Amino acid sequence: MSNPSGSTADSADGTGDAATDRSPSDDDGDPDPHAGDEPDAETTAGASGASGDEADATDDVPRDVRKYERFKKMDGARYERVNEFLRDRTYITAREWAIARLCADFRTETGVEMTKIGENLPELIPFMTDTYTPQAVNQARYSFEEKVTKAGATFLYGAMSGFFTAEDLDEMMYEVTEVAKFLLEVEGVDLAVADELEAEDRISEVMREVRASSADLRGEEVRCPECGHVHEPAEE
């Protein structure tokens, strides 16, 4: 699969960089009002003013938000390009992907910190430019979970139905695994080559077991989910 991160970064115009949008203006800490002072005092006053403004802006952002390191590879990326990539390869949107990741990372013993996620969304995710209400965060998370469940049911049915050979499933799993690994790498996960190969082998083995078990299952009695009547499989 081609790596789309380069094209995304090249086409970005910086509109998704919330840190730049919220940085103190050049007028803050301007030393001109102290022009009559001695040079050393002027420089000190200007530096102190700028430092104070930056400190105030930093204090408004929670510490764990400032230290959040995921999605740094997406600096400068635009939401539209990220969303286009995801919609071409998955069922989820960029909004659902980002918020689902944040809900997993900002989970405490009492639940997900949805207010913190929503209020600091532009600081946490480079391609998100607006803040969200807790309700909007929850809705995006629910939408993500619902799509994953439906996609999982669709895939598992295809694997269990006998429509695909073992080789077909191996090829399919390779393609979807490449997309999943790329998303993890964009989030900042460092995947070693040995770990990747081991994971691919284990996934392939599991899918072969699923196909074999499903073949046995299809040869057994079939119970109608509507009426509960048991049908004997027809002889071939």
Side-chain angles (χ1 to χ4, degrees), residues 161-191:
S161 63
F163 294 154
F164 305 101
T165 65
E167 291 72 21
D168 291 336
L169 287 176
D170 279 345
E171 183 177 351
M172 185 184 304
M173 287 306 303
Y174 174 78
E175 293 178 0
V176 300
T177 301
E178 286 298 299
V179 175
K181 288 193 302 183
F182 178 76
L183 295 180
L184 289 173
E185 289 171 352
V186 169
E187 292 177 5
V189 177
D190 186 15
L191 299 175

Side-chain angles (χ1 to χ4, degrees), residues 11 14 17 25 29 36 43 45-46 63 72 86 102 109 116 118-119 127 131 144 150 179 183 192-193 207 212 218:
S11 63
D17 191 344
S25 64
T43 303
R63 181 178 180 183
K72 293 302 181 183
L86 287 170
L102 292 174
E109 295 180 355
K116 178 184 290 185
E119 291 178 348
F127 55 83
T131 59
F144 174 87
K150 289 183 177 180
V179 175
L183 295 180
V193 175
M207 293 312 302
R218 293 193 305 273

Side-chain angles (χ1 to χ4, degrees), residues 22 24 28 48-62 66:
R22 297 187 176 209
D28 293 341
S48 300
S51 301
D53 292 337
E54 292 174 0
D56 292 341
T58 303
D59 290 341
D60 293 338
V61 180
R66 296 198 304 269

Side-chain angles (χ1 to χ4, degrees), residues 2 14 22 35 39 48 50 55 67-68 72 74 87 97 133-134 140 161 164 168-169 178 199 209 214:
S2 60
R22 297 187 176 209
S48 300
K67 300 178 89 174
Y68 193 70
K72 293 302 181 183
M74 302 296 289
R87 296 303 292 267
W97 172 41
T133 64
S161 63
F164 305 101
D168 291 336
L169 287 176
E178 286 298 299
E209 292 178 358
S214 300

Side-chain angles (χ1 to χ4, degrees), residues 63-194:
R63 181 178 180 183
D64 53 351
V65 172
R66 296 198 304 269
K67 300 178 89 174
Y68 193 70
E69 294 294 330
R70 293 194 190 273
F71 296 99
K72 293 302 181 183
K73 295 181 180 180
M74 302 296 289
D75 282 347
R78 290 185 298 159
Y79 179 90
E80 292 77 9
R81 294 302 301 274
V82 178
N83 199 51
E84 180 182 358
F85 173 87
L86 287 170
R87 296 303 292 267
D88 285 346
R89 296 163 177 82
T90 74
Y91 283 123
I92 59 175
T93 65
R95 173 181 72 103
E96 293 160 351
W97 172 41
I99 289 180
R101 179 70 267 169
L102 292 174
C103 287
D105 291 342
F106 286 86
R107 183 186 299 276
T108 67
E109 295 180 355
T110 58
V112 177
E113 298 178 287
M114 295 190 182
T115 299
K116 178 184 290 185
I117 292 172
E119 291 178 348
N120 297 281
L121 194 56
E123 284 78 18
L124 292 164
I125 308 295
F127 55 83
M128 300 295 290
T129 58
D130 296 326
T131 59
Y132 274 43
T133 64
Q135 293 78 11
V137 172
N138 187 51
Q139 191 278 332
R141 182 183 68 162
Y142 174 79
S143 181
F144 174 87
E145 293 174 351
E146 186 177 40
K147 289 180 179 180
V148 169
T149 300
K150 289 183 177 180
T154 304
F155 171 78
L156 193 56
Y157 168 69
M160 295 176 65
S161 63
F163 294 154
F164 305 101
T165 65
E167 291 72 21
D168 291 336
L169 287 176
D170 279 345
E171 183 177 351
M172 185 184 304
M173 287 306 303
Y174 174 78
E175 293 178 0
V176 300
T177 301
E178 286 298 299
V179 175
K181 288 193 302 183
F182 178 76
L183 295 180
L184 289 173
E185 289 171 352
V186 169
E187 292 177 5
V189 177
D190 186 15
L191 299 175
V193 175

